[in-house]
Amino acid sequence: MNNPAPVFRDRLPEPMGLMLERQKTVEFIFEGERITGIKGDTLGSALLANQQWVWSRSFKYHRPRGPLTLAGHDANSLVQLPNEPNALADRVPAIDGLDVTGQNVNGSVKKDKDAVLNHFGRFMPVGFYYRAFYKPKGVWDWWEKQIRVKAGLGIADLKFKPEYYDKAFLHHDLVVVGSGPAGMMAALKAADAGADVLLLEEHTLLGGSLAYSEFSDCNNPEQLRQELMAKVRQHANITVMTEAVCNAWFTDNWLPVLQGKRLYKVRAKQCIMVTGAYEQHVVFRGNDIPGVIFSSAVMRLMKLYAVKPGERAAVLTGNEDGYLTALMLNRQGIQLCAVIDMRQASELSHTEKNLVDQLHQKGVQVRFGQTVYEAKGSQRLEFIEVRAITSPGEVSASLETIPCDLLCMSAGYMPAYQLICQAGGQLSYDDQRAAFSLRNLPDNLYIAGSVNGIHRLSAVMKDGERAAIEALNALELSDEAVPDVFCDQKVNFHWPIFKHPKGKDFVDFDEDLQVKDIVNATRMGYRDIQLVKRFSTVGMGPSQGRHSALPTARLVAKATQRTVSETGVTTARPPLTPEKLAYMAGRGFDPYRLTSMHYRHLELGAKMIPAGLWMRPAFYPKEGQRLTGSAASPLLLQARNIRNACIENESLHVRTKVGLIDVSTLGGIELRGPDAAELMNRIYTFGFLKQPVGKTRYAVLTNEQGVVIDDGVACRFDEDHFYVTATTTGVDNVYRLMTFWNTQWQLDVDITNVSSAYAAVNLAGPDSRKVLEGLTDLDLSREGFPYLACREGFLNVPGCEHKIPARFLRVGFVGELGYELHVPSRYGEVLWDILMAAGQPFDIKPFGVETQRLLRLEKGHIIIGQDTDGMSHPSEVSLGWAVSKKKPYFNGCRAVDIVMKRPQTRKLVGFRLSAEYLVQNQKPEEGHIVLSDTGSDSSITGNVTSCEYSPTANAIIGMAYVGIEQSEEGGQFPIRVDGGSVVMASVVSLPFYDKEQTRQEA
Amino acid sequence: MKVMTCPLNGPRNINEFVFGGEVTPLPDLQAPDQAWAEHTFYSYNGTGVVREWWFHSASGYWFVAERDRTTDQIIKTYDPSELAADIRTAMLDVDRKMFGVERKTEEVAP
Amino acid sequence: MESLRQSQYVSSDLEPVRSCHYRTVSGLDFTHSAMGGRMIQVVDANDDSRVKSAGLIDLSLLPRVGYRGKGVESFLSSQGIAVPNKPNRAAISPDGELVLRLSLTEFWVLGSLKDLGRSVMELPRQHTQTPASCYPLFCEDSHACFVLTGEHIANVMAKLCAVNLREDAFPVGHIAQTSVARTSCIVVRHQVEGVPCFMLLSDATAGEYMLGILLDALTEYQGGLCGTACLI
C-alpha cells in the first residue's frame, strides 16, 4: 500500500477528504466494472472519483441519472446490492468485494434499452397509467405485468438468510435530532444545566453543515466543529448516536430511531428538532443530466471525499451559498466558466457583495439576472444555455452556450419539516422570504437552526442555545429568560422555475414529473395539493417530496391563483426514510403459556392445538399414527381419519373405563371475605347467597347488553370463601369486571385471579372413584361426596411423606362419574403422574380437548364462544333456569329482563342426522347455515355451532341455532353443507346421552 | 405512543391500560327501560372534559382519568376514592336503591 | 436432578414441586442443585464472572407469600416484618427477605436464599389462619421468579420493557409493575453484595417463555444462567 494507486492522484489534497483514510484502498464491482476507492469512500464518492457519473435510470423515461444531494436524500442514488435493493450509493460505505448494480435498468445504466421511452414522453402524460389502461375491462391485468417489469425498484433476494434485528427502549430528558451547529450548541447548553441529553445524527460525522459547508461568518468551520465535538463527546450528560435516523414523531415525543440492526423506541421528555433544511434545485430543461448537482453536494464531495467534481464548473445561484461554492471550487483549482446569479446585482446583501468582490479578485465574473435555460449532454453535462430573466419564470432569447461538465445549483432551502409536521407543526409560506416556515409547534417540542429559517452560522448557534433554554425551562432545570434570535439572511430565490416548451424541466426527479405535468393536473381540476399528488404522483417517490414539495406548491399556487400558504404541501406521514421490514419483523414477543403437565402430553405423543395463549392436547394418537408437518393438516383425509379414530376411542374409553384430561387452562377466581356471596350474587345470573358450603353451582355471566359471555362452576368452600372457574380465554375479562364493580361497590371481599396458580385435571369415567380411592382420606362414597359437591383435602403422594393440598369438584361436564382436581401449579406434573400410576390397574388413558368437546356435546352442554355468539341471551341457549328472577340485581339483569320479555326468534337445539348421511359422510360443520325450508326462496334462520359423529349414539349429532318455529322436538330443518347440498336434521331433546343423568350422579 | 400517568404506578405507555368506559352511575332499578337502554347503548359524542375509567393491567388497578375530548389531553388521573362527592353519592344511592329491593321481572313495558 | 428428570415418580427425599419451566432449566448443563432439586446451586465454573456481568438465576421455587387486605400491614408488623411505607417500594428484612409493597394493601414477602426461604415457609398460607382482612395470595404458584444480575441488566431490560429501569430513574428499592416482553411482570431493583439485580416476577405458566426471552436478551452480553450459590 506504499505505492498509491492512480486513483489517489486524482483526489484533492488535504484537508479535503475528511472521511478518508488515505493509506487504504477498497475495491468493489459496479455494473461488472472494477472500482477502486479509498477507505472512507461511499460507493457514490468512489464512483465519482472514477468518473462514473451515471448511477441509475429514471423511473418513467429511463433517463441517465447521477448524484444530486450526496446526502442520501434523493432517488438517483438507489443501487442494487446483492441482498438489498434500493441502497443509497451516497450513504453505503464502499466495502471490498461488494457487487453493486444499477436499478430500473434494461441492460446497463450506461446502455439502457428502455431509454427509448425518453422519446415517447409526450405519449405518457400525467395520469397516464390511470387513464390509458382501464378500458376495455380486463386489459389492466395484461398491462400491469408489462408495467411492473419496466417500473420495478430493485430485486429482493428471497434466498437471503434473515439477520437478527431487534428493538430497545431509551429514555432521555432531552432528545436533540440533528448534530449540526445548532444541535450541538443545544445539547451542550442543556447538558451543562444537568439534563440527560441524547444527540442523534443520521450521518457518520457530527457537525452537520460544519463538516462540509462554508460560511461567510466563519473562517474555519472544521476547527469549530472539532471544538464543539470534543465538548459533546466528553460531556457526561450527553449520549451520542451517529448513523441513527429518527424516522417519525409519535404522540408524547415517542421517537423511533433506526441504528444498525436495532429499532430504538426513544421517549423524550423534551425534544429539539434541529433537522436542517434541504437545498432546492432550479427547474429548467435538462436539470437532471448527470453533472447538474446541488452546491451542497459539490461541497460534500470535495470536503468529505476529496473528489474533484469536474474540470469546468458553472454555478447557478440565488443566494450566498453559490458564491461560497464558487470560491471553494476556485481554491481547489477547478476552472469556473460561469457564475450566474438569478437576482439583480442590486438585490445582493453587503456580505454577498463582498463575496462577489472576492471572486472578481480571482478573475471570475458574475452574471446577474440570468439563468440556465437548458442543460445539454447525454451521459454527462456538456453545455449550458444561458438566458436573461425578463420576469418571473420568463426569459430572453439565448445569450450564450457555455461548455462545462459541472453545474452547481443553489436556489434556496426547504426546512426539513416532516417530523415537525407529524408532531402537529404547520407550514406557512412567507412571500417576502419566498420560504416556508414552521408554526404551531406542540408542547415539549422546539426547533432551531435552518429548519427554523435561521441560516447565518452565528445566529444558528444562538438559536440552538435558545431552544435549549426553552426545553430546560420546561424541564424545570433553569428559569433563564429566553433570548430573541434574529437573522435577516434571505436564502430563497422567489421563482427558480423556467418552463421549457419541450419539457424535461423536472420538478420531481423520482417520478420524472415536469412543470407541465403539475400544471396539467390542476387544469384537469385537481386543484387541491393532495389531489395533485395522487393524480400526478408528485412527492410519492423515495425522496418523498424533499425537493419537489416547494416547486409543486409554487406551481399549483400560481396555476390556481392562490397563495403558496393556501396551497401548502402534502402530508408527510411516517416513516421519514424507507424502513427495512426487518425492523418490524425482527425479534418480536409472542407470549405463550404452558400448563405444568405440558411435557407429559408431549411424551405421550399428543397432537397439540392452540387455545388462546395456551397449547393443549387435542387427542393422543398412537405410536405409528403420529403425523407431522403438512401430513398432519386436518384437511387431509388420513389426518382426519386418525383424528376421528382417536376421538372415538378416547370417548368410548371415558364412557366405559376412566380417562384423564388436563384442564389447567381453566380460569379461576378466588373470592374471600364477608361479602363474597354478595359479590357472586351481584355478578352472576344465579342466586348464590344461599348456596350451601361444600356445594358447587353453575355460574353464568351476562354483559350489560344481556348477552351470555362466560360461565363456570362456583364452589363454596366456606361461608366467606368462593372459588369460581371461568373460561380459558374469558377469565381476565371476568376478573376485570369483578374488580371494576367492586371498586365502586366497596364490598368487603378480596378478589384474586388464581388461574395460573392452580393446575387441574378432570378424572372421568365409571372407574374414576376407584382410581382416587387410596390417594386421599376424603370419603368418596356417593353419599359422602355426592354429585355437585366440592371438598378441600389432600392427595397422598405414594412413596413419600408429602401430601398435596387439593380441591375436589364433582362435576358432570362429560357426563360420567368424575372428579376435577385442582392443585397448586407446582404440584401439577406430580398430580398427573400420581393419577396415571394409580389408574394403571384400571387401564386409565389420557384424553384431549377434542374428545372432551364430543363428550360434552353428547351431554348437551354448551361451550361459551362456540355455541354462543355476540347476541346469545340466556333463553336462546336454554339457560333461563340459571337466571334468578327474584334477586334485585346482577350484571346485565335489566337487559336480560327486557330481551326475555320479547318474543324469542331463535333457539339453540340439539339435532341428529339419520343414518344415510353417515354412510354418505355428509357431516355438517360448525358455521354451516340453517335454512327456513328447502325451497329456492328459503331464508337463513340460524347456524350449526357444534357437530360430531358420536360413537355412543352411532349418529351424527350436533347443536344449531334454528328459527323458533323450527325448534320443536321431532321437527326437521335443513342445513346447507359444503358443496351446497342440503341435509335434513331432526330436532331432538338434550342431552343425547344418559337422559336420566344417572351416570354422572353415580 | 401516548403516555398516561397511573395514580399507583406513575407514567406508563397507554398500551399498559384497558379502557373501562365513561364514569356514569347506573340508572336506578325503578327507572324505565328507556333509561337503561340509553345507559347501555348511548354515549355522549361531543366536546368537553370526560371522566373515564381506566385499568392498569399489570397491577390490576382501576382509576379515573379526566380527558379533554377535543385535544385528547389527559388532564388528571386519580384514585376512585377521590371521585367528586356528587358522583360518589350517586353511586352509593343506586347501590342502596338497587340492592335493598326485590326485582319485578314480569312487568310489561307500556 | 437427574432422577427428577427421568422418573415418573417422586423419590421420597424430594418435595414433589416443579415449576412449569423446570425442564428448560434442567436441560442446561449444571452440576448441583439445592433444596431437593428446587433450585440450581451451581451451573458451571463461570458463574461468578457471569453473575457480575449478565446473569440469570431461577428462583421460581424459592418460597414466598403474599397478603392483601386492610389488615396486612399490622399483621406483618406483628410478625416482626417491617414494610415499605409506600406502594411500589421494596425493603429488605434483617433475615434477607425482600418485602414488596405493591399497593396500599398488598404485600409480598420473598424468601431469602440465606435460609432457602425457611422463615417465609413459617408464615400462614390459609386465610383461616390470618386475621380479618388479611388474605394470603398465591404468588408461590401463580408467579415464576427470576433474578437478573450484573452491570448490564438495565441494557438487557431496555430490550424488553418500556419503563426506564436505569439506576438514576429506578434506584434500589423501587418496584415497577409493568409489561415485560408483552407479559405482566413485577420488576424490583435491589443489590446483593454490590451486584445490581432485578427481581422479576411474572406469570408462572409463561415461565418457559420468559426464560427464553431473558436468555435471548442476555446473549448480547455473553450472559446466561447462574447458580444460586452466587447470591449467597
Side-chain angles (χ1 to χ4, degrees), chain A residues 602-614:
Chain A
L602 298 189
E603 286 159 9
L604 290 163
K607 162 87 179 144
M608 303 300 284
I609 51 168
L613 294 181
W614 300 90

Side-chain angles (χ1 to χ4, degrees), chain A residues 735-748:
Chain A
Y735 172 72
R736 208 160 53 229
L737 187 133
M738 285 181 176
T739 53
F740 174 73
W741 286 110
N742 206 40
T743 298
Q744 298 170 62
W745 294 332
Q746 295 287 312
L747 296 174
D748 190 358

Side-chain angles (χ1 to χ4, degrees), chain A residues 593 596 753-759 804-805 823-828, chain C residues 16-20 38 60-66 108 125 137-145 201-206:
Chain A
R593 301 172 75 181
S596 47
N753 184 345
V754 293
S755 304
S756 292
Y758 278 95
I804 301 176
V823 301
S825 68
R826 71 200 126 130
Y827 300 111
Chain C
V17 294
R18 300 165 194 177
S19 68
C20 291
R38 279 184 172 218
S60 295
L61 289 175
L62 186 64
R64 58 185 162 269
V65 67
W108 289 15
R125 297 294 198 273
L137 299 172
F138 302 76
C139 52
E140 231 161 10
D141 290 289
S142 61
H143 283 68
C145 178
L201 295 130
S202 60
D203 189 312
T205 62

Side-chain angles (χ1 to χ4, degrees), chain A residues 566-800:
Chain A
E566 278 169 348
T567 307
V569 302
T570 56
T571 314
R573 293 187 183 82
L576 173 64
T577 68
E579 207 159 274
K580 283 186 189 174
L581 287 177
Y583 286 116
M584 306 289 118
R587 189 226 52 211
F589 300 121
D590 297 299
Y592 59 87
R593 301 172 75 181
L594 304 178
T595 75
S596 47
M597 304 157 204
H598 179 77
Y599 286 96
R600 292 295 184 236
H601 307 318
L602 298 189
E603 286 159 9
L604 290 163
K607 162 87 179 144
M608 303 300 284
I609 51 168
L613 294 181
W614 300 90
M615 292 303 288
R616 299 195 67 185
F619 48 86
Y620 297 82
K622 289 194 182 63
E623 203 85 52
Q625 289 190 323
R626 288 167 198 167
L627 299 176
T628 53
S630 56
S633 163
L635 296 173
L636 293 180
L637 187 64
Q638 192 193 359
R640 221 161 50 218
N641 285 341
I642 291 173
R643 169 197 178 271
N644 292 347
C646 287
I647 293 173
E648 274 178 45
N649 288 339
E650 287 174 16
S651 71
L652 288 172
H653 200 85
V654 173
R655 294 271 179 250
T656 55
K657 292 179 176 174
V658 60
L660 188 65
I661 181 171
D662 179 0
V663 294
S664 303
T665 64
L666 269 180
I669 294 170
E670 188 89 346
L671 299 169
R672 291 164 299 179
D675 289 335
E678 177 68 21
L679 184 81
M680 282 297 296
N681 214 41
R682 292 185 186 192
I683 296 289
Y684 288 99
T685 58
F686 226 172
F688 291 91
L689 295 177
K690 291 173 190 153
Q691 177 179 350
V693 169
K695 285 280 189 193
T696 65
R697 193 163 272 190
Y698 184 53
V700 175
L701 181 66
T702 54
N703 65 10
E704 279 194 71
Q705 289 84 44
V707 174
V708 177
I709 53 167
D710 209 82
D711 70 349
V713 171
C715 309
R716 191 169 201 170
F717 289 119
D718 218 327
E719 281 301 320
D720 60 354
H721 180 195
F722 281 81
Y723 172 60
V724 56
T725 66
T727 61
T728 300
T729 48
V731 62
D732 289 341
N733 196 18
V734 175
Y735 172 72
R736 208 160 53 229
L737 187 133
M738 285 181 176
T739 53
F740 174 73
W741 286 110
N742 206 40
T743 298
Q744 298 170 62
W745 294 332
Q746 295 287 312
L747 296 174
D748 190 358
V749 56
D750 180 78
I751 307 164
T752 306
N753 184 345
V754 293
S755 304
S756 292
Y758 278 95
V761 293
N762 187 7
L763 178 70
D767 290 339
S768 55
R769 184 179 282 125
K770 290 183 208 154
V771 174
L772 216 48
E773 273 167 2
L775 289 177
T776 175
D777 302 333
L778 288 175
D779 174 4
L780 293 177
S781 67
R782 188 168 189 260
E783 298 70 32
F785 189 0
Y787 181 57
L788 295 183
C790 58
R791 299 282 182 267
E792 282 186 299
F794 290 91
L795 205 69
N796 304 322
V797 183
C800 87

Side-chain angles (χ1 to χ4, degrees), chain A residues 901-929:
Chain A
K901 274 186 299 202
R902 290 188 190 150
Q904 197 172 323
T905 58
R906 63 168 190 168
K907 191 176 181 206
L908 187 73
V909 297
F911 69 83
R912 184 184 176 115
L913 299 193
S914 60
E916 60 188 286
Y917 295 118
L918 197 55
V919 179
Q920 293 160 9
N921 201 15
Q922 275 187 312
K923 185 174 87 68
E925 303 288 343
E926 288 158 27
H928 281 171
I929 55 174

Side-chain angles (χ1 to χ4, degrees), chain A residues 184 206-207 224-234:
Chain A
M184 289 206 280
L206 290 185
L224 175 61
R225 188 180 80 93
Q226 293 289 350
E227 283 168 15
L228 288 174
M229 205 165 68
K231 283 189 203 163
V232 162
R233 292 274 185 199
Q234 282 159 19

